[in-house]
Amino acid sequence: MSETPRLDIVEHVDTPHGLLRLERYLSNGRTHHALWINDERMMADEGFDSELALAHIADALWRVPRQVEAPTSLDLGATRPKGRSVLVGGLGVGYTARAALELPEIERVVVLELQPRVVDWARGVFAEANAGVVDDPRLEIVIQDLAEYVKSPPDGDRFDLCLLDVDNSPERFLVASNESLYQADGLQQLVACLAPGGVAVFWSLAPVDVLLRRIATLDAPVSLYGSYTYDLKVGSSPRYFGYLGRSL
């Protein structure tokens, strides 16, 4: 990622997981904000196409026939039943949560966010960018470690879509505890969080081969898995999505 001129640190918070900060910077003559944890950039209010794509790719995969091989194409126009629920790992600026809410027939979106201050910033400095997503009545925010949540979802919650954007890759974690999400036990717990026919998609800056090898060995009702490469504008590195789908 190219360097951008930083104007200042708007706020920083010491957390059990490291130094969380909100920065203001200049890009193409405009002022933007970005979230950082320690030395890792989490997200910014520009360049968010792949965060939106995360929701749309999951939605398209949810409708393909159950199969182990990756689909050759994604049909974005198929019909969908009513009343679906979505689990989003990580609030960030709020773009993925907003994209999930804008999918057809979504009744409920539950966002797992580890940092309470991130929720405040989403409601404040990022509210215009995310169109006030935090105050949407269909949105529930749970302040909890996602890795802990999937071990025992409250009331046996099951989700049609799980959108996971909590790390830079399955091998580059923003928070150390997230490593368990990509191990066999964590993946099996994630499958158990899915409703029959549900789909989980992982956002990544790097290829997800390691993740796919682990999914292939799971003793879990997985009927669909693979990866999808999302090409950004010329001159930018692509983004990668690893996915799995629970059997019907």
Side-chain angles (χ1 to χ4, degrees):
M1 182 179 295
S2 60
E3 292 295 322
T4 52
R6 188 176 78 194
L7 295 179
D8 56 12
I9 297 176
V10 178
E11 187 177 348
H12 62 84
V13 182
D14 286 313
T15 78
H17 309 95
L19 183 64
L20 176 70
R21 66 184 190 273
L22 174 67
E23 291 190 355
R24 183 164 46 223
Y25 67 96
L26 285 176
S27 176
N28 297 319
R30 300 186 64 180
T31 300
H32 293 277
H33 292 82
L35 300 173
W36 292 73
I37 184 78
N38 298 319
D39 294 323
E40 294 279 2
R41 179 165 166 165
M42 298 163 61
M43 197 175 179
D45 58 3
E46 64 166 347
F48 50 84
D49 287 359
S50 65
E51 283 77 10
L52 303 182
L54 175 60
H56 294 287
I57 288 168
D59 183 49
L61 287 166
W62 181 82
R63 285 177 279 103
V64 302
R66 301 292 86 174
Q67 56 188 17
V68 173
E69 296 79 11
T72 56
S73 64
L74 300 180
D75 177 8
L76 299 178
T79 59
R80 314 162 178 91
K82 295 181 179 180
R84 292 187 298 162
S85 61
V86 183
L87 176 67
V88 176
L91 176 62
V93 174
Y95 287 131
T96 300
R98 170 53 63 194
L101 286 165
E102 290 177 353
L103 294 174
E105 313 300 354
I106 296 300
E107 184 175 83
R108 176 175 177 243
V109 174
V110 177
V111 177
L112 269 289
E113 174 53 55
L114 191 57
Q115 310 292 351
R117 199 72 185 106
V118 168
V119 180
D120 297 333
W121 293 334
R123 181 178 274 117
V125 69
F126 294 125
E128 183 176 356
N130 64 39
V133 69
V134 174
D135 297 315
D136 191 296
R138 294 172 295 160
L139 189 80
E140 303 171 28
I141 296 177
V142 178
I143 303 299
Q144 188 179 351
D145 189 327
L146 177 63
E148 290 300 313
Y149 181 91
V150 299
K151 291 178 182 178
S152 182
D155 303 319
D157 267 352
R158 297 294 180 267
F159 298 91
D160 299 289
L161 304 176
C162 289
L163 314 177
L164 307 176
D165 182 9
V166 293
D167 295 298
N168 283 333
S169 83
E171 298 178 283
R172 184 178 162 193
F173 317 114
L174 294 179
V175 175
S177 61
N178 285 348
E179 182 176 5
S180 66
L181 289 168
Y182 309 94
Q183 304 302 318
D185 286 350
L187 291 168
Q188 293 197 172
Q189 290 159 359
L190 182 62
V191 173
C193 282
L194 293 172
V199 172
V201 182
F202 295 82
W203 181 98
S204 178
L205 283 173
V208 294
D209 298 350
V210 125
L211 176 65
L212 299 185
R213 288 196 294 270
R214 291 171 184 161
I215 293 173
T217 64
L218 291 180
D219 181 18
V222 173
S223 58
L224 175 81
Y225 71 91
S227 64
Y228 185 83
T229 302
Y230 182 80
D231 291 317
L232 298 175
K233 62 185 179 181
V234 175
S236 297
S237 299
R239 300 294 183 262
Y240 301 88
F241 300 89
Y243 60 82
L244 62 83
R246 181 168 180 161
S247 303
L248 290 169

